[in-house]
Amino acid sequence: MKPLRSRKRRGGEELQDNTANALTSKRPKRDSSANSPHQDESNKHTVSEIVSLAREAVTRTSQLSNITKIAKYCSPESTAPREVCHSAMHALSTVFAKCLERGDFDILKTRRGAEEESSEQEPRNGSAPVEVNPMIAVAAWTKEQLIEFKKVLRARLQDADKALQVSALHSLLNVLRAESKSAMTSGGSWTIENMSYVSIIDTIVNSPAQSVDAVVETFVSHYLNEYDDLRLYFYRNVAKYLERVTSQSHMNTDRVYQILSKVRSVKKHDDKVTGKLWVSKSVTDGIKSRKLDRDTAIPPLVASNHTRAFSAAWLALLKCTLSTPVYRQILLVLHNQVIPFMDNPTRLSDFLVDSFKFGGSTSLLALNSLFYLIQNYNLDYPDFYENLYSLLTRDILRVKYRSRFFRLLDVFLSSRYIPAYLVAAFVKRLARLALLEATPSGIAMVLPMIYNLLRRHPSVIVLVHSDKECLHGMDDPFDFDELDPKKCRAIDSSLWEIQTLMSHFSPSISSLARIFSEPLVLPSYNIEDFLDHSYDYLLELVNSGKSRVTSSDWSSTDVVKVVTMASLPSGAPVPLF
């Protein structure tokens, strides 16, 4: 028997060494300038004491009472220094992880099953009191301490010290992993302790604004973007959480968007996710052939599961009442960060159509995603061009997203199958806006677009060569206030606004407008070259003396990039952008 005792002793010493390494591996760097040498020495002594207590609690069940001695340093009311708090949290998470790994709490499940069986077999009256097993009592007490420890860590997630917030997050997720592995060992299939994970997510999402930014950043970068199982169940848990959110509160939905927008998405055409798992990967082999629990045992390495969970999370968010800044941010990123990764993007059609009809900048932001669905998923939107025409209001050339809008407008009007009356309505309305509302930089953006539309749709060139006299618009049949392109009578009008712009005070604008007085034989403009010019740029052209050039100056001028000068007659005015 002596050799056996010797081997057992060596195993215990090895366990102690491993525990000590785990307890000291994540100790944070101290700021030596913040404490005096005496305080540093005191902190070192306290940390060493915590490590010793944790080692004893791990190796000897009789010393599990050391948990309460360590826990006093973890409490939010504790005044212990940061290094001591961190060491205490990490030590306790290691102790509980070891308890879960050994199966210390399995006896509680056996006891619960035995009690249920005995309650069915024994009569309710006259039964003798059941004697409490000391091992069961110890396990129950340790379980209570674990529950209390997780509550303390969740409270620490909102600590004023960001370093302690992050330490609490690491400890919570370490305990989550140990709980999940313990459940897998007893259950036989892959699973995650989702109730613990839900409580972590709820704490992060419900924390006051700005208080957990460090936690969010660490949670996303170190966990959600690294581990597929944590990301999958985050999507699922967030979708369920948003179903319970009250419509009066924007804070919760804003925080959910803050996290969702930073999480790496999984492409839906991938057969398998190639990332890592926070919970042991070895148990997932052959998992598809087993009957799995719906909520806690969905295989995390199947891309389609991620796609469905991703879609459910975003759809749940869009059903909530959103603050205006978040609403606009979502519309900005929806077409490239959300729609390509959804299992059925057409489910967003109602949301996008309602946003498009909302008016103002919201309608402009919804255009990208709506066009994506029309182009790639054959979304049927019969009144699309009518609503698009109504967006050409007096403010369209002054809004923040005008470049984005005109870039899309050029795409929407690129088809040669658009009716002539519709193209004429857009051309006429753009010309009127350029005359009445636009700054020089706005006019420089509108005139090339009008030119392209005339070149692309020869049937509306009649607007340029019309012999109808519309003296300063007094007799113009075009109704600017009519938002229905079918009723505005643009095809019966003429582009007298362009002739007026030939006398614009800016030499650059007047030169650009004179292109319409020549035959429309030039190639179409590249709209991108005109979208971002500012007033300062136009003034710089005037001050540099480059506001008027002729075809003979073309070889030495880099201002005009979009017109082929070989087709211009000698001395003809040219656009300067």
Side-chain angles (χ1 to χ4, degrees):
M1 296 299 293
K2 289 183 179 179
L4 180 61
R5 287 197 297 270
S6 177
R7 285 196 298 270
K8 185 176 181 180
R9 184 165 56 254
R10 285 198 297 270
E13 292 172 356
E14 183 181 355
L15 178 60
Q16 291 181 15
D17 294 338
N18 293 338
T19 304
N21 293 334
L23 293 172
T24 56
S25 61
K26 293 187 179 181
R27 193 176 299 169
K29 296 181 179 179
R30 294 181 293 107
D31 185 2
S32 58
S33 62
N35 299 323
S36 65
H38 176 72
Q39 289 175 326
D40 287 343
E41 192 65 30
S42 176
N43 292 343
K44 287 181 180 179
H45 177 74
T46 305
V47 170
S48 299
E49 181 183 0
I50 290 173
V51 173
S52 178
L53 291 171
R55 186 186 300 118
E56 292 176 356
V58 167
T59 55
R60 288 185 288 179
T61 307
S62 60
Q63 299 298 321
L64 282 174
S65 58
N66 290 350
I67 291 175
T68 57
K69 300 177 182 178
I70 303 174
K72 66 181 181 181
Y73 298 109
C74 300
S75 173
E77 291 78 19
S78 173
T79 58
R82 174 194 298 175
E83 183 181 7
V84 174
C85 292
H86 171 88
S87 298
M89 286 189 290
H90 185 60
L92 277 186
S93 66
T94 303
V95 170
F96 288 120
K98 292 292 183 181
C99 292
L100 288 162
E101 181 182 343
R102 290 196 306 247
D104 289 1
F105 303 130
D106 292 347
I107 193 173
L108 298 178
K109 300 177 183 178
T110 305
R111 174 202 179 189
R112 190 180 302 113
E115 289 179 348
E116 291 176 357
E117 183 178 355
S118 62
S119 63
E120 294 177 359
Q121 295 178 355
E122 296 180 2
R124 294 185 180 180
N125 50 358
S127 58
V130 180
E131 184 179 352
V132 178
N133 187 329
M135 295 181 62
I136 294 178
V138 171
W141 179 86
T142 309
K143 185 72 171 181
E144 292 176 0
Q145 298 302 312
L146 172 58
I147 295 172
E148 187 62 29
F149 176 59
K150 291 193 291 185
K151 290 181 181 178
V152 169
L153 290 179
R154 291 196 295 270
R156 280 289 191 181
L157 288 178
Q158 304 179 26
D159 196 277
D161 191 329
K162 294 184 178 180
L164 289 180
Q165 290 180 357
V166 174
S167 293
L169 177 66
H170 290 318
S171 297
L172 277 169
L173 290 170
N174 285 334
V175 172
L176 170 68
R177 175 161 57 182
E179 289 177 322
S180 300
K181 288 184 176 180
S182 176
M184 283 194 297
T185 302
S186 59
S189 61
W190 188 93
T191 187
I192 190 170
E193 191 63 29
N194 202 40
M195 292 302 296
S196 296
Y197 196 29
V198 167
S199 64
I200 298 172
I201 295 173
D202 284 354
T203 303
I204 295 175
V205 170
N206 290 315
S207 298
Q210 307 297 327
S211 64
V212 291
D213 285 348
V215 173
V216 169
E217 189 65 31
T218 304
F219 186 46
V220 173
S221 60
H222 288 70
Y223 293 101
L224 296 184
N225 284 340
E226 290 292 327
Y227 300 100
D228 295 318
D229 47 355
L230 294 181
R231 180 171 59 251
L232 172 63
Y233 281 90
F234 172 77
Y235 287 146
R236 290 176 55 81
N237 293 331
V238 158
K240 295 178 181 178
Y241 167 81
L242 290 172
E243 295 175 356
R244 309 191 306 265
V245 172
T246 59
S247 59
Q248 288 79 15
S249 175
H250 300 305
M251 182 183 67
N252 299 330
T253 54
D254 289 0
R255 177 60 51 75
V256 170
Y257 168 73
Q258 178 189 5
I259 301 176
L260 278 178
S261 62
K262 297 178 180 179
V263 178
R264 179 177 62 85
S265 305
V266 177
K267 294 183 179 179
K268 58 186 177 183
H269 60 266
D270 291 345
D271 293 330
K272 193 172 183 180
V273 182
T274 57
K276 300 179 292 184
L277 293 179
W278 181 245
V279 181
S280 178
K281 183 179 179 180
S282 60
V283 197
T284 60
D285 296 334
I287 196 169
K288 290 183 179 180
S289 60
R290 299 176 181 174
K291 185 177 180 181
L292 302 172
D293 181 74
R294 181 179 178 85
D295 293 327
T296 63
I298 293 179
L301 293 181
V302 180
S304 58
N305 292 335
H306 286 262
T307 303
R308 283 192 293 269
F310 174 87
S311 302
W314 276 99
L315 288 171
L317 177 62
L318 296 180
K319 291 177 182 178
C320 297
T321 302
L322 304 171
S323 62
T324 301
V326 168
Y327 188 27
R328 292 179 176 176
Q329 283 295 322
I330 290 176
L331 290 175
L332 274 172
V333 303
L334 207 59
H335 68 285
N336 59 1
Q337 294 185 22
V338 179
I339 292 179
F341 305 100
M342 296 186 68
D343 57 345
N344 185 13
T346 55
R347 296 165 69 184
L348 292 174
S349 57
D350 290 341
F351 171 78
L352 292 173
V353 169
D354 291 341
S355 300
F356 186 52
K357 293 179 179 179
F358 190 81
S361 59
T362 302
S363 299
L364 304 185
L365 297 176
L367 270 177
N368 250 349
S369 301
L370 196 59
F371 174 69
Y372 188 95
L373 293 183
I374 293 174
Q375 186 180 44
N376 296 284
Y377 293 92
N378 299 320
L379 178 65
D380 185 17
Y381 189 4
D383 299 328
F384 175 75
Y385 283 100
E386 286 75 6
N387 287 312
L388 182 65
Y389 181 80
S390 67
L391 294 181
L392 293 174
T393 62
R394 294 178 181 270
D395 299 326
I396 193 63
L397 295 175
R398 305 173 187 271
V399 296
K400 178 180 179 181
Y401 304 106
R402 71 174 186 182
S403 297
R404 180 191 183 104
F405 171 75
F406 277 93
R407 184 179 293 110
L408 290 171
L409 182 63
D410 184 55
V411 175
F412 297 147
L413 298 177
S414 61
S415 174
R416 297 182 181 273
Y417 300 100
I418 301 176
Y421 79 87
L422 191 58
V423 178
F426 277 96
V427 168
K428 182 65 178 179
R429 193 169 185 84
L430 286 171
R432 184 66 62 87
L433 289 173
L435 180 65
L436 299 179
E437 303 294 337
T439 61
S441 59
I443 300 174
M445 183 166 49
V446 168
L447 291 181
M449 179 165 289
I450 294 177
Y451 184 89
N452 287 354
L453 290 174
L454 294 177
R455 287 272 296 139
R456 196 178 296 145
H457 303 275
S459 59
V460 298
I461 294 181
V462 64
L463 296 176
V464 178
H465 302 296
S466 176
D467 56 357
K468 300 174 183 178
E469 294 293 337
C470 300
L471 183 60
H472 302 295
M474 297 298 294
D475 300 325
D476 194 346
F478 173 69
D479 187 355
F480 181 79
D481 296 324
E482 175 57 61
L483 297 181
D484 187 349
K486 297 178 182 179
K487 302 176 182 179
C488 66
R489 298 183 62 194
I491 198 68
D492 298 328
S493 182
S494 65
L495 290 179
W496 58 267
E497 296 89 349
I498 303 297
Q499 185 175 4
T500 306
L501 290 173
M502 294 179 186
S503 303
H504 197 274
F505 70 88
S506 170
S508 302
I509 298 302
S510 60
S511 297
L512 186 59
R514 289 193 185 97
I515 292 297
F516 292 89
S517 63
E518 302 293 334
L520 303 181
V521 295
L522 299 180
S524 297
Y525 290 92
N526 183 3
I527 298 299
E528 291 292 335
D529 293 332
F530 297 86
L531 293 181
D532 298 316
H533 291 317
S534 63
Y535 219 140
D536 293 336
Y537 178 77
L538 298 178
L539 290 176
E540 182 182 348
L541 286 179
V542 174
N543 294 332
S544 64
K546 293 183 179 180
S547 60
R548 291 181 181 275
V549 295
T550 61
S551 58
S552 60
D553 300 322
W554 174 251
S555 60
S556 62
T557 304
D558 60 353
V559 181
V560 184
K561 298 179 180 179
V562 294
V563 181
T564 304
M565 297 303 299
S567 60
L568 280 176
S570 178
V574 298
L576 306 176
F577 310 100

